[in-house]
Amino acid sequence: MLRILMFVVPLALSVYAFIDCISTDEKDIRHMPKPLWAILVLLFPLVGSISWLIAGKQRRPAGPAGHRRQWVAPDDNPEFLRSLSEEEQDKRDEKEKKKDGDDNTAP
């Protein structure tokens, strides 16, 4: 089992690093051009992959200005509440139109 892990883990790391390298935008790559990073990852799988993950890509914090938005419960979310009131108003309007249509067609 350990022999398999010694082969699978570096292979998975190399595949991840290579795909990450080729899918990264050119402006986010540091120190070397993208083709050189890809060749480095392919020729030296373990060293190239680790060096790509550490130094190759410019990492940014998640979210706007590095702050994560906190989850808001639906009953505290103004956008959700607004959408509910809009849906309710639409239903009322449809009922009124239907009722007005029935009144106009009655003999």
Side-chain angles (χ1 to χ4, degrees):
M1 182 68 174
L2 188 58
R3 290 181 196 176
I4 295 172
L5 284 178
M6 289 176 57
F7 176 73
V8 171
V9 171
L11 179 65
L13 178 66
S14 298
V15 169
Y16 172 78
F18 182 71
I19 292 173
D20 189 41
C21 178
I22 61 174
S23 64
T24 300
D25 198 17
E26 192 74 38
K27 65 183 179 192
D28 293 334
I29 296 178
R30 301 185 301 177
H31 304 298
M32 292 190 310
K34 184 192 272 191
L36 286 179
W37 275 114
I39 291 170
L40 181 72
V41 170
L42 288 176
L43 290 180
F44 307 102
L46 194 59
V47 174
S49 300
I50 293 171
S51 61
W52 165 254
L53 293 174
I54 292 173
K57 184 177 181 180
Q58 181 177 359
R59 310 284 179 192
R60 294 191 188 122
H67 298 295
R68 290 186 177 211
R69 288 188 57 196
Q70 294 218 345
W71 183 79
V72 179
D75 56 344
D76 292 335
N77 187 340
E79 294 174 16
F80 178 73
L81 295 174
R82 190 175 317 114
S83 71
L84 286 179
S85 64
E86 290 172 359
E87 287 177 16
E88 189 176 317
Q89 185 63 37
D90 291 342
K91 287 180 183 178
R92 279 191 221 134
D93 292 344
E94 287 178 18
K95 285 182 181 178
E96 287 179 16
K97 286 181 183 177
K98 192 174 183 181
K99 185 178 179 182
D100 290 342
D102 290 344
D103 290 344
N104 291 337
T105 58

